[in-house]
Amino acid sequence: MTDINEQIRRPGADTAPVTGAMDIAARGGPEADPALLNLVELLFFAYRDFTREPDKILEEIGFGRAHHRVLHFVNRHSGLRVADLLDILKITKQSLGRVLKQLVDEGYIMQEAGKTDRRERRLHTTARGRELAGRLARPQLSRIAHALEASGAQSQIFIEKFLGEMISEADRAQVSRLLKTGAGPRGRNGDPA
Amino acid sequence: MTDINEQIRRPGADTAPVTGAMDIAARGGPEADPALLNLVELLFFAYRDFTREPDKILEEIGFGRAHHRVLHFVNRHSGLRVADLLDILKITKQSLGRVLKQLVDEGYIMQEAGKTDRRERRLHTTARGRELAGRLARPQLSRIAHALEASGAQSQIFIEKFLGEMISEADRAQVSRLLKTGAGPRGRNGDPA
DNA sequence: CATTTATGTCAGTCATGTTGACTTACTTTG
DNA sequence: CAAAGTAAGTCAACATGACTGACATAAATG
């Protein structure tokens, strides 16, 4: 194990974990509100497990989480444009381009020229794409359904509100617009921001 | 734009987005409970934004989200072992080893040989590590505090319950044990699973 | 002493993200 | 109509953080 002894057995060295009174305020660590810190960790664990089952399915077919995200949003919001996806996912054109191309090439997503603006590619899932999207969504939906049930019927409204408020203010309106459009083709009308 | 015309303008082709009645049940897409689907998306957006500010800070100092996760858990649960971290993060030894080594080399984390079992490395943050952990935690804590406030005082208990139930059952007990230990050194006593 | 455990490490690979510059197709505007 | 702007796609080059599998070392345990 090479030379770990150089690293350990030095409690009290210059970098030792002495707790100066001074830095307590700056910590945000153990001294911060423990309930909030617990929520930080709960969010991490919840999200970690939320993506586990779909990740496993994706791995089998050679896709990654990025494919899932694209497929999900195109499936749910049929008619989405590439620019919309970029804005939703907050990734670059290249990153999106790579996975989108694969999804198109392998017949999960199809593109259609915009009716009024033919530069646009309106994205839609194919039957094959919907099938995969459903397969990936199912474990996530049942996980959520279970968690909602276990946390009580009244909880849903609080959770929706909480998660909505976790979104950066700059994007909140955009997201709530997106959620409202539900499955319908996202109109090019109304600002697409 | 090369040959996109081969791809588009073929609504009605074999992969066309026709909606067979047959596959509706299997979809999990637009036909699934829209409230649950909204939660899927809310979770995505919330987590996306939850990690944005720390990611920016990390980028400036040449670290990534992996460093944040390690630093956070070591800071909050001082005395954690490498094996515990592997179990919490569900990543491989190599992935962890790389970021942990950097954190140790750059003086954010120190190791201490286990008192009873000297093979163990009990991990602790240094003053420098605590400072960074606090800096990274602050935007996340204030985001959560804001969201809690906006969703009402009663909401907190529901949210904790919900997020807890989102965790895979196999890990739930482990996590709640971890959360309970709060900041204290995680005893090697009691199964470490 | 042999085995198991905790940790670290090597070499190689892959997925997903990044930036910046450029092209093509099309729309809008002066 | 020509110029400017916009939507999308593409190239090259790169960084990070995951992965696998095999192996090394130190210490504990039977």
Side-chain angles (χ1 to χ4, degrees):
Chain A
M1 212 180 249
T2 58
D3 55 348
I4 358 86
N5 286 343
E6 291 176 22
Q7 308 264 22
I8 64 178
R9 259 181 264 176
R10 294 177 306 149
D14 55 332
T15 53
V18 286
T19 300
M22 211 201 77
D23 56 348
I24 286 186
R27 275 162 86 137
E31 271 67 24
D33 183 342
L36 294 187
L37 278 167
N38 275 355
L39 281 173
V40 170
E41 299 189 359
L42 280 172
L43 209 48
F44 165 76
F45 289 116
Y47 201 79
R48 178 197 69 174
D49 289 356
F50 180 61
T51 55
R52 283 254 280 275
E53 288 117 329
D55 280 355
K56 203 166 296 174
I57 297 171
L58 290 159
E59 199 188 342
E60 290 166 16
I61 55 178
F63 283 169
R65 204 179 291 178
H67 299 85
H68 185 185
R69 290 194 283 249
V70 171
L71 185 61
H72 168 91
F73 281 105
V74 171
N75 190 51
R76 179 103 198 275
H77 308 281
S78 203
L80 221 55
R81 295 167 307 147
V82 170
D84 299 325
L85 270 178
L86 289 176
D87 206 54
I88 288 170
L89 303 176
K90 309 272 187 217
I91 57 174
T92 57
K93 225 196 300 187
Q94 288 68 20
S95 294
L96 174 58
R98 200 168 14 200
V99 302
L100 183 54
K101 188 176 190 312
Q102 280 181 275
L103 287 166
V104 168
D105 287 351
E106 301 185 28
Y108 295 96
I109 287 181
M110 62 166 292
Q111 305 172 311
E112 191 182 2
K115 281 192 175 56
T116 60
D117 184 339
R118 297 192 44 260
R119 288 172 306 181
E120 297 173 350
R121 307 276 180 280
R122 313 303 294 223
L123 304 173
H124 305 271
T125 43
T126 62
R128 181 175 161 85
R130 283 189 296 279
E131 193 275 327
L132 178 58
R135 203 147 64 89
L136 294 169
R138 213 167 301 123
Q140 298 194 313
L141 293 172
S142 67
R143 185 180 289 268
I144 289 179
H146 160 268
L148 278 180
E149 211 171 319
S151 55
Q154 338 134 61
S155 68
Q156 182 162 343
I157 189 152
F158 291 113
I159 291 153
E160 280 169 4
K161 180 73 173 154
F162 173 77
L163 292 176
E165 293 289 339
M166 286 287 289
I167 298 168
S168 291
E169 211 234 309
D171 294 323
R172 203 130 61 213
Q174 176 205 352
V175 169
S176 77
R177 220 177 308 133
L178 185 67
L179 295 198
K180 268 193 215 95
T181 70
R186 224 171 97 64
R188 180 74 186 74
N189 359 311
D191 49 336
Chain B
M1 210 182 260
T2 59
D3 54 349
I4 358 87
N5 286 343
E6 289 174 24
Q7 308 263 28
I8 62 177
R9 259 182 260 177
R10 294 178 307 151
D14 53 335
T15 55
V18 285
T19 301
M22 215 200 75
D23 56 347
I24 285 185
R27 275 162 86 140
E31 271 67 22
D33 183 340
L36 294 187
L37 279 167
N38 275 356
L39 281 173
V40 169
E41 299 188 358
L42 279 172
L43 210 47
F44 165 77
F45 288 116
Y47 201 79
R48 178 197 70 176
D49 289 355
F50 180 61
T51 55
R52 283 253 280 275
E53 289 118 328
D55 280 355
K56 204 167 293 174
I57 296 170
L58 290 159
E59 199 189 343
E60 288 165 16
I61 56 179
F63 283 169
R65 205 179 291 179
H67 299 85
H68 184 187
R69 291 194 283 247
V70 171
L71 185 62
H72 167 92
F73 281 104
V74 171
N75 189 52
R76 179 100 198 276
H77 309 279
S78 204
L80 222 54
R81 296 168 306 148
V82 170
D84 298 326
L85 269 178
L86 290 176
D87 207 53
I88 287 170
L89 303 176
K90 308 270 187 221
I91 57 175
T92 58
K93 225 196 299 187
Q94 288 66 22
S95 295
L96 174 59
R98 198 172 12 197
V99 303
L100 183 54
K101 189 176 190 312
Q102 280 181 274
L103 287 166
V104 168
D105 288 351
E106 301 186 27
Y108 294 97
I109 287 181
M110 61 165 293
Q111 305 171 311
E112 191 183 1
K115 282 192 176 55
T116 61
D117 184 340
R118 298 192 43 259
R119 289 172 304 181
E120 297 174 353
R121 309 272 180 282
R122 314 301 295 224
L123 305 172
H124 305 271
T125 42
T126 63
R128 182 176 160 83
R130 283 190 295 279
E131 193 275 325
L132 178 57
R135 203 147 63 89
L136 293 169
R138 213 165 301 121
Q140 298 193 313
L141 292 172
S142 68
R143 185 180 289 267
I144 289 180
H146 161 268
L148 277 180
E149 210 172 320
S151 55
Q154 338 133 64
S155 68
Q156 184 163 341
I157 189 152
F158 290 114
I159 290 152
E160 280 169 4
K161 181 75 174 151
F162 172 77
L163 291 177
E165 293 288 340
M166 285 287 288
I167 298 168
S168 292
E169 210 234 310
D171 294 324
R172 202 132 57 212
Q174 176 206 351
V175 169
S176 75
R177 219 177 310 133
L178 184 69
L179 295 199
K180 267 189 217 100
T181 71
R186 225 169 97 62
R188 178 74 186 72
N189 0 309
D191 52 335

